[in-house]
Amino acid sequence: MTKHVYTFGGDRNEGSAKMRNLLGGKGCNLAEMAGLEIPVPPGFTVTTEVCTLYIQAGQTLPEDVKAEALEALRWLEGNRGRKLGDVENPLLLSVRSGARVSMPGMMDTVLNLGLNDETVEGLSRASNNPRFAYDSYRRFIMMYSDVVLGVHKDLFEHEIEALKARTGKKQDTEISALEWKDLTVVFKAIVQRELGRPFPQDPIEQLFGGICAVFDSWETDRAKIYRRLNRIPDDWGTAVNVQTMVFGNMGDDCGTGVAFTRDPGTGEPYFYGEYLINAQGEDVVAGVRTPQPITRAQAEGTGHTSLEEAMPGAFNELLATCNRLERHFTDMQDLEFTIERGKLFMLQTRIGKRTALASIRIAIDLVDEGMIDSNTALTRIDADSLTQLLAPIFDPKEKAAFKKAGKLMTKGLNAGPGAATGRIALSAVDAEELAKTGPVVLCRIETSPEDLAGMVAANGILTARGGMTSHAAVVARGMGKPCVCGASAINIDIKSGTVTVGDITLRAGIDHISIDGSTGEVFAGALSPFPSEVNQVLVDKVLQPKDSDLFQRYSKIITWSNAVRTMKVRTNADTPHDAAVARTFGAEGIGLCRTEHMFFEGERIIAFREFILAKDLEGRKAAMVKLLPIQRADFEGIFEAMDGLPVTVRLLDPPLHEFVPHDEAGQSEMAKVMGITYEEVQNRVRKLHEFNPMMGHRGCRLGITYPELIRMQMRAISEAAINVGMRGIKALPEVMVPLIGTVKELSYTKKEMLDELALVNAEHGSDFSCPIGTMIEIPRAAITADKVAQEAEFFSFGTNDLTQMGFGYSRDDSGTFLPEYVAKKILDEDPFQSLDQEGIGELVRIAAEKGRATRPTIKLGVCGEHGGDPRSVKFFQKVGLNYVSCSPYRVPVAILAAAQAVLEQK
Ligand code: ADP
Ligand code: MG
Ligand code: MG
């Protein structure tokens, strides 16, 4: 029989950190801590497998699971010497969710379960503390009603606010036992009114209600959105942890808090955290009360009392425990703890979420501290997050000017680094709407999981309440979004749609606000972004490497990656500038140099339109003669920028109609410039019309109908290479033919190219040559790659078109149905973003294998958007490609992903 319930703590510790998939992250680490003899309140975990069983059974708990849970409860009661529902000395429980990976704010916890009208009296007597007992009971009714019964917590919070207004009390801690007691009566009446039935008094009913609610929350929309964003499979399920309560709300020798072994924002190696005296866990994360700093260093100058000062004994034990856990798990830990009457209990430990900045700093520091090696460090960094290091920051000078002008509104907590400017949105819905027309900053009193979609749409997040571990902060850091939290001076007025500090009032939907998530500053108006330190060193060269710690760390990661990876990383660049930028980021060549802009920009378009309008070959040749010197100069610029590195040039690819105007004004203007009639232009444009241009007269088909076109391109490339060669520059062009479907298309085109090359060499007395290859972007070419390789000296997989043609989805039109496909799980995700490994990937694999069978030395690369997608990069490593190519700013991502791909294969 399958075991569904595992105990932890006490004298029966059945789990360990190795059982994450079964017990969830929270459950397995509770067991691991208990195994290390760290004080953990004992309890039991209902496995993630039960979540699936529960959903399959139509949201009901199988009887055998119930029986097992009751058996574990009996053990727990024996262990604690208290019984659930006991009128004299009741056992109280928390019911907590915990999936394999942490899903912040997704699953709600119920505390103080087991209280009812009778047991609350028992708790009051046993603890000799009626205030504590009724504080716990009101919390329980509110949480249980909200999470399990679906009565919104606002209804209860409203009553607390009303009580405070009546009595003039500001803090929860000022409210007396009797007042809480009276409030529980009001709370129960709310439940009766809302549901037409009383608040459940039976502790066993409460327990199973709580367990089911956790499983139910796996199926909520917000949990589903989070899973989709983070690619968490639905069938992983969540576990449920049922745990003995420990109380941080029994008085001033009690408290609760969260801690990080290092700063999650910057990665600096400081013990760091927040706590509240006389409180229960949810007070810290919910942002209801503003938490206090844990360490003396953190508290310095803030007027707050640190835990270190308030409870030195418990603090020292906490510090020692946290350090021990960090060494045990060899990574930064995010911990939750409660102090009951001076005694420390650990309630959770996990690998802490962190910003990109922090993840890099921590990985490097752990190597320096000897905890891990450099290869492990590389696996600790999310390759995608490297782009954050290149993201813009605010110009310090402009910031200073804004300050002088009195536009610094306030300073909150620097919860998620990076700079964001945008119009103000006061709700998630508004944020989504406004984001359609420009950048948005979401401004909320505090955020909750319901704001998720708005947070995704916003460029930055600003909250008036909540600490570094509030929902907004945790989620923003996870998304890599700039975030300022707890900016309490800000007054957000939803009704009038304004954000006010002092005499500055900004209007939602109209005015701009700027937040600096690295410093916590909030500015009225739009600050313009400024390049990051990495860019300042590499691209703008205005900062010395030695003056930037950030750059030095970045460069260490790149250096370590370079030592490991076997795939080369190239870039997609069409201009000398892009090529030069990518080169500074470490690009080892150009994998895709599109040539269409060489036909479009400035004077070029006139000559090319002459070509398009020409009546015969002579006319077309004459137009090409005009384009030749211009394109030759273009190539010279690119070859110069990439001196010594390969440059893969793609012959003209788009259909001709993209180069002519389609409106009347444009056409008569064109007629004037060309000295012909409007009708002539109109006629030609009409002839160029295609029903499905993406599958029409484009790619190699252009060169086959107009060989003079590709001959001109071949001549421009080779003469440019010869010219720069005379200036000591090593040009290494590789010319590729787009959209090949059969080998004969390539052999025809290649012959024209080689004939032209022979002419060039004869004229210049040179012996220049370069590899000629093809894109593999049509399924037929992939399947017949053994034949194509007879002619092609290299393949470059154009995975955008290969996906388009392989699926038969037009990329430009797929927006109408792809989101639905993903939502309905027809597809796991958009195949244009991350390669469909099963189908399109199989085409790549087959082509690579067949290509190599014909020509063992064939060079294989990828030039689609997928070349910068870490998961796709790992796939390309598996099928043995020689390089990936991506946009300049993704080159660092691809470099790290290529290294990770090697490490994963080991
Ligand atoms: P989340 O996943 O949202 O962090 P948790 O299950 O960790 O939810 O619970 C939130 C908080 O509730 C914890 O940080 C802790 O302070 C409090 N809590 C949970 N279980 C207990 C318990 N057994 N005793 C005391 N407090 C608890
Ligand atoms: Mg929660
Ligand atoms: Mg927690």
Side-chain angles (χ1 to χ4, degrees):
M1 203 184 77
T2 319
K3 190 169 162 59
H4 296 302
V5 177
Y6 289 73
T7 57
F8 60 82
D11 57 353
R12 220 170 97 183
N13 195 44
E14 296 177 330
S16 77
K18 292 197 186 75
M19 297 161 73
R20 168 174 294 268
N21 292 357
L22 191 62
L23 302 181
K26 202 177 284 165
C28 78
N29 280 356
L30 282 168
E32 184 79 8
M33 284 196 288
L36 293 169
E37 295 188 358
I38 288 169
V40 168
F44 56 89
T45 304
V46 185
T47 66
T48 54
E49 289 172 356
V50 176
C51 186
T52 309
L53 293 177
Y54 173 84
I55 292 164
Q56 281 167 356
Q59 328 269 113
T60 47
L61 213 51
E63 284 305 320
D64 56 331
V65 176
K66 276 191 175 171
E68 257 187 88
L70 288 174
E71 192 279 322
L73 176 65
R74 296 285 100 85
W75 161 77
L76 189 60
E77 289 175 335
N79 184 277
R80 303 325 293 156
R82 293 179 199 175
K83 281 192 143 109
L84 186 68
D86 187 288
V87 180
E88 284 315 311
N89 192 13
L91 176 70
L92 298 193
L93 301 171
S94 71
V95 175
R96 319 169 64 189
S97 68
R100 279 194 218 182
V101 293
S102 81
M103 293 171 60
M106 290 295 117
M107 306 284 173
D108 292 308
T109 300
V110 176
L111 301 180
N112 310 315
L113 188 139
L115 283 176
N116 58 27
D117 293 350
E118 284 180 309
T119 55
V120 70
E121 292 295 337
L123 183 66
S124 172
R125 284 192 299 273
S127 64
N128 198 18
N129 189 343
R131 189 198 174 277
F132 150 69
Y134 279 98
D135 178 41
S136 302
Y137 193 25
R138 64 93 189 174
R139 288 172 187 272
F140 173 56
I141 300 175
M142 177 162 152
M143 280 180 141
Y144 193 88
S145 301
D146 184 58
V147 174
V148 181
L149 305 176
V151 180
H152 204 284
K153 65 173 183 291
D154 284 355
L155 296 175
F156 304 97
E157 261 165 12
H158 179 77
E159 294 299 329
I160 300 178
E161 293 302 318
L163 170 71
K164 285 182 183 166
R166 250 189 343 267
T167 57
K169 294 180 175 175
K170 290 213 162 55
Q171 299 284 335
D172 290 357
T173 43
E174 297 167 40
I175 295 172
S176 70
L178 206 61
E179 284 165 336
W180 282 136
K181 183 173 180 177
D182 288 344
L183 213 53
T184 59
V185 177
V186 177
F187 279 13
K188 281 182 293 180
I190 292 176
V191 173
Q192 175 74 47
R193 185 189 76 211
E194 292 296 312
L195 301 178
R197 57 188 154 91
F199 184 81
Q201 294 281 317
D202 174 10
I204 295 290
E205 183 192 339
Q206 293 174 353
L207 176 61
F208 285 119
I211 292 174
C212 292
V214 172
F215 288 142
D216 288 335
S217 70
W218 181 255
E219 291 289 281
T220 57
D221 286 344
R222 67 195 201 202
K224 285 182 184 162
I225 294 179
Y226 187 87
R227 287 206 289 278
R228 203 159 63 228
L229 282 173
N230 293 278
R231 304 195 176 96
I232 298 168
D234 289 337
D235 62 5
W236 278 10
T238 179
V240 184
N241 303 291
V242 175
Q243 188 176 27
T244 316
M245 281 298 296
V246 286
F247 299 102
N249 59 333
M250 287 179 107
D252 286 344
D253 56 351
C254 303
T256 185
V258 295
F260 290 90
T261 55
R262 290 164 200 256
D263 188 318
T266 63
E268 286 169 282
Y270 303 131
F271 184 53
Y272 176 93
E274 294 167 335
Y275 81 109
L276 282 171
I277 293 249
N278 196 9
Q280 280 198 336
E282 76 275 11
D283 298 347
V284 179
V285 281
V288 178
R289 277 163 67 189
T290 300
Q292 313 278 305
I294 286 195
T295 64
R296 196 191 296 264
Q298 238 182 295
E300 192 155 326
T302 62
H304 291 301
T305 311
S306 65
L307 183 70
E308 190 170 358
E309 290 153 300
M311 301 183 204
F315 172 83
N316 284 331
E317 202 190 332
L318 175 67
L319 179 60
T321 306
C322 292
N323 283 337
R324 187 169 162 215
L325 285 168
E326 182 180 272
R327 280 195 308 278
H328 182 72
F329 288 104
T330 70
D331 203 350
M332 186 263 269
Q333 297 293 300
D334 165 355
L335 312 109
E336 297 173 9
F337 65 91
T338 284
I339 299 165
E340 180 181 301
R341 296 206 166 128
K343 171 150 179 48
L344 174 77
F345 291 92
M346 299 309 295
L347 289 173
Q348 189 171 339
T349 189
R350 63 181 167 203
I351 299 210
K353 283 201 192 290
R354 60 203 79 181
T355 61
L357 241 64
S359 75
I360 290 167
R361 163 112 198 213
I362 291 170
I364 291 173
D365 284 355
L366 291 179
V367 174
D368 290 346
E369 292 167 29
M371 237 184 273
I372 57 173
D373 61 18
S374 62
N375 284 353
T376 307
L378 293 179
T379 63
R380 295 278 177 88
I381 301 165
D382 174 12
D384 259 328
S385 71
L386 282 186
T387 54
Q388 282 184 45
L389 294 193
L390 312 182
I393 54 179
F394 288 138
D395 175 355
K397 286 199 204 92
E398 199 186 357
K399 238 164 68 165
F402 263 53
K403 279 184 196 162
K404 244 188 166 165
K407 290 187 193 168
L408 175 61
M409 297 176 77
T410 183
K411 208 168 161 183
L413 299 169
N414 53 336
T421 291
R423 277 179 298 162
I424 296 169
L426 298 186
S427 72
V429 177
D430 291 352
E432 285 185 277
E433 193 52 41
L434 278 175
K436 290 179 186 156
T437 54
V440 173
V441 174
L442 177 64
C443 306
R444 304 278 288 151
I445 293 170
E446 57 198 311
T447 63
S448 72
E450 280 112 278
D451 293 324
L452 206 57
M455 296 173 81
V456 173
N459 288 47
I461 294 139
L462 170 65
T463 67
R465 265 199 282 188
M468 290 295 276
T469 51
S470 64
H471 177 266
V474 172
V475 176
R477 280 199 294 271
M479 292 179 185
K481 300 235 165 170
C483 176
V484 173
C485 273
S488 51
I490 286 196
N491 191 357
I492 296 176
D493 187 341
I494 309 264
K495 266 201 202 112
S496 64
T498 54
V499 172
T500 307
V501 176
D503 53 7
I504 306 179
T505 294
L506 303 176
R507 293 156 301 170
I510 301 166
D511 294 324
H512 280 77
I513 198 164
S514 301
I515 59 169
D516 187 333
S518 312
T519 61
E521 292 159 307
V522 181
F523 294 92
L527 276 163
S528 27
F530 193 74
S532 75
E533 279 187 24
V534 173
N535 281 41
Q536 290 180 43
V537 172
L538 288 177
V539 183
D540 307 332
K541 303 194 170 53
V542 292
L543 190 64
Q544 292 294 318
K546 67 172 173 32
D547 295 329
S548 170
D549 288 343
L550 182 70
F551 174 77
Q552 287 177 28
R553 286 191 203 105
Y554 162 85
S555 124
K556 221 172 218 178
I557 297 301
I558 299 296
T559 309
W560 286 344
S561 300
N562 288 345
V564 174
R565 73 189 160 94
T566 54
M567 261 193 309
K568 297 265 183 204
V569 174
R570 296 194 190 182
T571 192
N572 301 347
D574 306 343
T575 64
H577 175 261
D578 284 0
V581 167
R583 193 168 185 169
T584 65
F585 289 145
E588 296 160 301
I590 292 182
L592 174 63
C593 173
R594 303 175 192 84
T595 52
E596 26 275 35
H597 72 102
M598 298 183 182
F599 292 84
F600 215 97
E601 281 162 20
E603 292 295 297
R604 299 168 174 87
I605 188 73
I606 299 176
F608 195 44
R609 283 173 179 172
E610 279 173 26
F611 172 91
I612 293 171
L613 287 170
K615 295 198 175 60
D616 52 19
L617 179 62
E618 286 319 302
R620 288 198 296 272
K621 277 189 173 165
M624 287 295 102
V625 167
K626 290 186 190 167
L627 274 179
L628 175 68
I630 312 180
Q631 295 210 357
R632 196 168 51 213
D634 287 342
F635 285 122
E636 285 179 21
I638 290 167
F639 294 156
E640 246 169 80
M642 295 310 274
D643 184 8
L645 296 178
V647 175
T648 307
V649 177
R650 182 177 72 185
L651 298 180
L652 187 67
D653 185 44
L656 296 183
H657 76 88
E658 287 192 10
F659 298 89
V660 293
H662 292 265
D663 59 326
E664 201 185 313
Q667 289 177 0
S668 37
E669 172 67 25
M670 175 170 161
K672 218 186 301 158
V673 174
M674 310 258 110
I676 52 175
T677 67
Y678 167 69
E679 283 70 30
E680 276 175 290
V681 174
Q682 206 188 17
N683 262 336
R684 182 67 185 122
V685 172
R686 211 173 277 151
K687 275 201 193 125
L688 287 174
H689 172 79
E690 291 176 315
F691 286 103
N692 197 342
M694 278 303 109
M695 295 167 99
H697 194 182
R698 60 170 283 219
C700 65
R701 300 155 205 171
L702 292 171
I704 290 170
T705 32
Y706 305 119
E708 57 281 8
L709 179 63
I710 51 173
R711 276 183 172 250
M712 182 280 289
Q713 286 200 289
M714 192 62 196
R715 178 175 281 269
I717 293 163
S718 41
E719 287 185 348
I722 293 164
N723 287 353
V724 297
M726 291 193 290
R727 285 184 265 135
I729 287 162
K730 201 166 168 205
L732 297 171
E734 301 173 343
V735 186
M736 68 179 172
V737 182
L739 225 66
I740 287 289
T742 97
V743 65
K744 283 195 182 153
E745 286 172 313
L746 183 59
S747 46
Y748 181 91
T749 310
K750 188 174 168 187
K751 179 167 186 312
E752 292 287 338
M753 292 161 75
L754 289 177
D755 286 353
E756 189 68 21
L757 184 59
L759 289 178
V760 170
N761 276 331
E763 288 164 32
H764 292 261
S766 56
D767 62 349
F768 173 76
S769 73
C770 68
I772 292 178
T774 181
M775 306 262 305
I776 300 286
E777 50 190 339
I778 288 186
R780 190 185 192 287
I783 290 167
T784 58
D786 48 341
K787 302 216 169 59
V788 178
Q790 287 164 3
E791 294 288 343
E793 288 164 85
F794 65 88
F795 288 166
S796 175
F797 291 95
T799 49
N800 298 345
D801 259 321
L802 196 58
T803 299
Q804 172 160 271
M805 314 256 186
F807 271 101
Y809 301 157
S810 152
R811 181 154 75 136
D812 301 319
D813 301 322
S814 61
T816 51
F817 58 89
L818 263 190
E820 193 121 339
Y821 267 44
V822 175
K824 293 189 172 152
K825 306 233 180 62
I826 308 284
L827 292 174
D828 284 339
E829 62 194 306
D830 182 345
F832 292 105
Q833 267 165 30
S834 197
L835 188 79
D836 158 52
Q837 300 185 6
E838 182 184 57
I840 308 304
E842 183 64 7
L843 286 172
V844 174
R845 196 195 60 77
I846 290 171
E849 195 180 282
K850 288 194 158 186
R852 260 185 303 232
T854 302
R855 192 187 286 264
T857 58
I858 194 164
K859 208 194 274 182
L860 303 171
V862 144
C863 68
E865 294 298 313
H866 300 104
D869 169 62
R871 282 175 320 133
S872 308
V873 169
K874 288 170 194 173
F875 175 81
F876 298 137
Q877 171 83 26
K878 257 191 252 155
V879 292
L881 301 196
N882 303 95
Y883 70 85
V884 294
S885 186
C886 57
S887 64
Y889 279 81
R890 292 202 72 84
V891 165
V893 175
I895 287 176
L896 175 53
Q900 290 172 340
V902 173
L903 295 172
E904 274 176 28
Q905 272 184 324
K906 276 185 186 161

